[in-house]
Each structure stands twice: as C-alpha cells, then as structure tokens.
Amino acid sequence: MRVHKFTFAALAVAAGLTLTACQNGEDGAAQGGASSAPPGSPAASAPASPGGGSSSGGTDQSGGKNSAGTGSDGKGTAAGAGSDGTGKAGKCRTGDLEITAIDSTVGGDTDGTVAVQLKNRGGQDCTLSEYAGVDLKTSAGSLSAKRTGEHPGPVVLKKGKAVSFGVTYPLNTSGGSGVRVTGLVVTPPDETKSVTLAWPGAATLPVTEGTGSPVKVGPIGSAGQGG
C-alpha cells in the first residue's frame, strides 16, 4: 500500500508541475513574450487600418486637401472678387481702364495708324472681347470706324497690364484741305460708356466719294500686328 500511495503522490506532483509550466508559457505570451510566429509572417505584421495603411506610424493629414482641391473642412475656394462667379474674369469696365492713343504710322505706309492702348487699372483681371467701338469726330460730322473682320477671340487683361489695337485711315495726299479730325471716341468692348481723346494722327482725311468708312479698327491686340 505504501508503494501505491507513493506512486499516486508522485504522479499528482508531476501533473501539477506540468500544468504550472503550461500556464506560465501562456502567461508569458500574453504579457509580451516572444511569439512563436517567425519574423515577417502575417501574424507579426501590424494590423491594417480601414484606409488600407498601417494602423501605426501614419502621417497626420489634418488640414490637407482632397482630390477635388477643397480644404479638409469641406469648403471649396471662393471665386476671386471681380469674377463672374464661375472663377472666370469679369468684363473690363470703362471706369477700370486707362485709355490712351498715340500715332504709330510708319514712314512709307500708304495709310496712317493710331494705336489705342487699354490699361487695366482695376483691382482684378478682366476680359475684353474682340472689338472696341471707334468714332472719329470730324469737321463733317462723326465717322465710325469699320471692323477689319479678324476674330482672334477675347483677351484676358491682367491687373496692371495693357493691350492695344490699331486704327487705320487713309492719308490725305491730295493737296486739298480734306476733312479735319477733331477727336477720337473709344468705347471699350461690351460697354456703353465712351472716352473722348485728342486725335494723335494726321490732321485731315482725304475727301472720299461713295458710301462706307475709310477708317478701319482692328481687334484687341492687333496694334503692331498688321491690324
């Protein structure tokens, strides 16, 4: 009986030691012990975040911009003042333009040329369509210039920048007194308010017969470009 009791006691002690060892191994793994998974295995990788990247080591992206170009607060960039609300430059207004004219006739030309300059002195960029209105004041009455017919499209005039167009007219080589020119009236494209300038060209136009105007106006940007 003593032998059997000793055997049973020994077995009980051995079983208790085995159970303790197993519990110690599990506790070690739960408390940050080395994992049995080899390095580089899926079990050793950091869990993926919902966005597809790692849940640790990510970059703080607050205040960034999304693919639509809006801020992280979801608000888009407002159109600049002076635009038409779509982000495009609004039309140039007469009051925002400094308009001047100079004689730009080249020696040897059969026609005279006056270059009219429009400078944007407003606070924003603006748009000019193709043709300004031009009238000459003469001793025989008002004479409207006729468009040359080119269609280069509208021009965006940057703040502080200038653009010019040409006014051509026949030179008076007849030897007669001709028609005296007393002023130049310019109406910017799509505007009704005009500016009257001193006429910088030749003093007179030749007397012509028939209908139609001998004075031509080129599109915006045509001065110095054959317009």
Side-chain angles (χ1 to χ4, degrees):
M1 288 297 292
R2 289 181 177 179
V3 173
H4 289 297
K5 289 180 179 180
F6 178 79
T7 302
F8 289 148
L11 290 173
V13 171
L17 292 173
T18 302
L19 181 59
T20 301
C22 291
Q23 290 176 344
N24 288 340
E26 292 173 356
D27 290 342
Q31 296 175 8
S35 171
S36 60
S41 68
S45 301
S49 65
S54 172
S55 61
S56 63
T59 302
D60 180 9
Q61 296 183 5
S62 61
K65 289 184 177 293
N66 60 30
S67 60
T70 59
S72 59
D73 58 359
K75 297 179 181 178
T77 303
S83 70
D84 60 5
T86 63
K88 297 180 180 179
K91 295 179 181 179
C92 296
R93 300 303 180 189
T94 304
D96 291 329
L97 297 172
E98 179 183 343
I99 304 176
T100 56
I102 62 170
D103 181 16
S104 62
T105 303
V106 178
D109 284 355
T110 56
D111 289 331
T113 302
V114 166
V116 179
Q117 177 179 275
L118 309 177
K119 183 175 182 179
N120 183 1
R121 62 183 182 184
Q124 304 293 333
D125 299 349
C126 61
T127 302
L128 292 165
S129 59
E130 295 175 327
Y131 286 90
V134 171
D135 296 278
L136 270 61
K137 288 184 174 183
T138 76
S139 56
S142 180
L143 179 63
S144 296
K146 183 180 179 181
R147 296 178 178 182
T148 56
E150 295 95 337
H151 296 287
V155 172
V156 175
L157 187 56
K158 299 291 185 180
K159 180 177 68 173
K161 299 298 182 180
V163 67
S164 299
F165 63 88
V167 178
T168 57
Y169 59 96
L171 295 172
N172 183 13
T173 58
S174 65
S177 59
V179 178
R180 186 166 55 89
V181 182
T182 60
L184 172 66
V185 182
V186 178
T187 308
D190 303 315
E191 275 285 74
T192 57
K193 184 179 180 180
S194 302
V195 173
T196 300
L197 307 172
W199 172 249
T204 62
L205 300 176
V207 176
T208 58
E209 297 179 358
T211 61
S213 174
V215 182
K216 309 293 183 184
V217 55
I220 299 295
S222 65
Q225 302 173 17

